[in-house]
Every structure is written in structure tokens, then in C-alpha cells.
């Protein structure tokens, strides 16, 4: 079974790809009928008690391998800037992702240095080109996503973001992604500026129908499932501390449902 081919074929029409942060949530989401999963670098970091960006590359690849082993679904990975800053490291990132069993991965043009957060244009494009070349050299299909990170790092420049996405498309990226777009009009503008499938990070106020009409193909939620879970735990803890009650337990997933899910051994 070529999971990369299965994953690529999903991009023929709009679909939602949720972001589990551990084995349990991967199995739960797979059991609900989703067709593919994507990792969340921030969600995994938070689950480890770390800030986003603080998980090392080898630890992240190990995490990806765990999620791949948890389900038969294709898994795509958020690998941040990858193994390093160099052009060569972009290719090495793709090889490591494929070896972990992933059906695809994304690489960012965020450098990890908030003082100079976005790679210079030509360097960013060269990294994408190297990653694409590596992906094309693999024996099985692999979906490579190129990310333009301006909007997440204090550079809300739509023109430059589109310029980067167009260059990434020309370099061969399979999917294009500019997280942080805050309106349907912005999504429509980005999608109309490129011909490759566009991944959009969902935010409150968006709907699948609206995003699809705007041209989005893949819709992910990033760390939002993780932050939702943390929010529920915090509300429960505050209720116990401040009111001495346990009403939060009514909102939880039934113990028996989780027991049955995980007793099956696979989602």
C-alpha cells in the first residue's frame, strides 16, 4: 500500500486533515473516519511540557514514527524548518521523513531565530527545490508541502507571501501553505495566485464550505485540538479548586468508549 499515493489522491477535492499530538489521539481520530492525519509540532511540544520549537529533530522523527505505527492512515508531518538551515539539510529532512514511514511532510521558511525569522527569499526557494528533488528520488510517492511563515512571525505581507508560494510552486512543491491567513478573502487571494493545492489553517469563523469555495483543498487545525484539550483540563482544575465540584466530568469521553477503542489494538 503506497500511503503517499493515497495521500496525494486525497488532494483531488477539499478535505480536513486533523492534527493528533500522541498515539491515543491519532487512534481516536482515525476511528472517526478521517482519511489522513497530520502531526502538530506545537501540540507535541506542549504535550511534552515544552514550548513550540523546542523539540529536537530526532525526537520529532521518533514521534512521527510512533504516529505512523498507530494507524493505517497516511500521516504527514509538520517538521518545522527540518534538520537544519542549509539547503542540504532540507533534502536530508525528506529522506528522514520517508524512512519514518510518513506519506508527506512540510518544511517552513521560518529560521527559528525570532530576530531574523524568515529565510532570505532565494535561500528559502533553494531549500524547497532540494526537498522536492529528494522527494522525487524516493521509490514511493511522497507529498511535499512548502510553507511560507510570514503571518506567524510578525510579517503580515500578503504580497511577499504569495511571491514565496509561487516560487515554491515553480520549484516543484506539491502543496502550498501559508498559515495565519485570517479571512476568507485572503484565502481566496492566495488560492487564486497558485495552481497547486493549498493547505489552510482553520480558525474560528471559517467553515469547510467557505474554505472550499475560496479554493482551499486541504484544511488542517494545527495545535488547536491540543489547546482545546488543555483548555478543558484547565477549566476542570479551576472548577475543582474554586467551587469544589466535578461537573466537568459530564463533558468527558466515556471511559468505556476509550477502553473499547484502545482494546482493539488499532484504530
Amino acid at each position: 500500500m503506497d500511503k503517499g499515493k493515497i495521500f496525494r489522491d486525497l488532494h483531488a477535492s477539499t478535505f480536513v486533515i486533523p492534527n493528533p499530538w500522541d498515539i491515543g489521539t491519532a487512534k481516536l481520530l482515525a476511528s472517526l473516519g478521517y482519511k489522513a492525519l497530520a502531526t502538530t509540532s506545537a501540540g507535541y511540544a506542549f504535550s511534552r511540557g515544552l514550548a513550540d520549537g523546542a523539540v529536537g529533530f530526532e525526537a520529532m522523527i521518533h514521534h512521527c514514527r510512533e504516529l505512523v505505527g498507530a494507524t493505517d492512515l497516511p500521516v504527514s508531518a509538520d517538521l518545522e524548518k527540518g534538520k537544519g538551515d542549509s539547503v542540504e539539510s532540507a533534502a536530508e529532512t525528506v529522506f528522514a521523513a520517508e524512512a519514518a514511514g510518513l506519506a508527506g511532510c512540510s518544511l517552513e521558511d521560518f529560521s527559528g531565530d525570532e530576530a531574523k525569522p524568515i529565510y532570505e527569499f532565494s535561500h528559502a526557494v533553494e531549500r524547497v527545490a532540494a526537498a522536492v528533488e529528494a522527494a522525487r528520488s524516493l521509490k514511493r510517492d511522497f507529498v511535499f508541502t512548502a510553507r511560507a511563515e510570514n503571518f506567524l512571525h510578525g510579517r503580515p505581507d500578503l504580497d511577499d507571501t504569495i511571491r514565496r508560494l509561487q516560487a515554491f510552486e515553480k520549484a516543484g512543491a506539491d502543496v502550498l501553505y501559508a498559515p495565519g491567513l485570517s479571512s476568507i478573502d485572503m484565502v481566496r487571494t492566495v488560492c487564486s495566485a497558485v495552481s497547486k493545492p493549498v493547505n489552510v489553517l482553520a480558525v474560528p469563523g471559517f467553515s469547510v464550505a467557505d474554505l472550499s469555495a475560496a479554493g482551499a483543498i486541504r484544511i488542517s487545525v494545527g495545535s488547536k485540538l491540543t489547546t482545546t484539550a488543555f483548555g478543558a483540563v484547565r477549566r476542570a482544575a479551576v472548577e475543582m479548586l474554586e467551587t469544589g465540584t466535578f461537573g466537568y466530568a459530564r463533558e468527558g469521553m466515556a471511559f468505556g468508549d476509550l477502553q473499547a477503542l484502545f482494546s482493539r489494538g488499532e484504530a
Side-chain angles (χ1 to χ4, degrees), residues 70-81:
T71 172
D72 289 334
L73 296 182
V75 178
S76 183
D78 167 7
L79 294 180
E80 302 175 301
K81 71 174 182 179

Side-chain angles (χ1 to χ4, degrees), residues 18-239:
N19 303 79
W21 63 91
D22 62 8
I23 291 172
T25 50
K27 290 189 173 187
L28 172 61
L29 291 167
S31 76
L32 297 175
Y34 287 99
K35 302 301 184 184
L37 303 174
T39 71
T40 161
S41 61
Y44 178 59
F46 296 157
S47 77
R48 303 290 295 174
L50 299 170
D52 186 22
V55 177
F57 182 74
E58 294 303 326
M60 190 65 76
I61 287 293
H62 176 72
H63 167 61
C64 292
R65 192 176 293 112
E66 286 188 329
L67 294 197
V68 167
T71 172
D72 289 334
L73 296 182
V75 178
S76 183
D78 167 7
L79 294 180
E80 302 175 301
K81 71 174 182 179
K83 198 170 184 179
D85 297 298
S86 69
V87 171
E88 293 77 15
S89 71
E92 292 168 2
T93 297
V94 169
F95 291 137
E98 192 273 342
L102 291 161
C105 76
S106 65
L107 280 180
E108 305 173 357
D109 61 0
F110 172 53
S111 68
D113 177 6
E114 290 293 352
K116 193 176 181 181
I118 304 299
Y119 288 127
E120 187 271 329
F121 178 83
S122 62
H123 183 62
V125 175
E126 288 170 3
R127 279 169 47 84
V128 169
V132 168
E133 183 178 359
R136 298 297 174 266
S137 74
L138 300 174
K139 293 183 178 180
R140 62 183 180 87
D141 205 351
F142 189 89
V143 179
F144 174 71
T145 300
R147 295 175 50 147
E149 299 289 299
N150 277 336
F151 281 87
L152 294 188
H153 298 283
R155 293 179 31 151
D157 186 334
L158 187 59
D159 289 340
D160 182 64
T161 297
I162 290 173
R163 174 176 173 249
R164 287 170 177 265
L165 293 178
Q166 289 174 332
F168 297 164
E169 177 178 21
K170 187 175 181 180
D174 299 305
V175 178
L176 306 166
Y177 184 14
L181 303 180
S182 58
S183 72
I184 292 295
D185 284 343
M186 292 173 70
V187 172
R188 185 178 297 108
T189 298
V190 167
C191 291
S192 65
V194 297
S195 60
K196 292 289 183 68
V198 173
N199 186 103
V200 173
L201 178 64
V203 298
F206 286 0
S207 72
V208 172
D210 288 342
L211 289 171
S212 179
I217 293 295
R218 196 169 80 199
I219 303 167
S220 58
V221 297
S223 63
K224 289 179 177 58
L225 291 176
T226 314
T227 57
T228 297
F230 270 85
V233 171
R234 182 169 65 180
R235 287 191 297 275
V238 169
E239 178 189 346

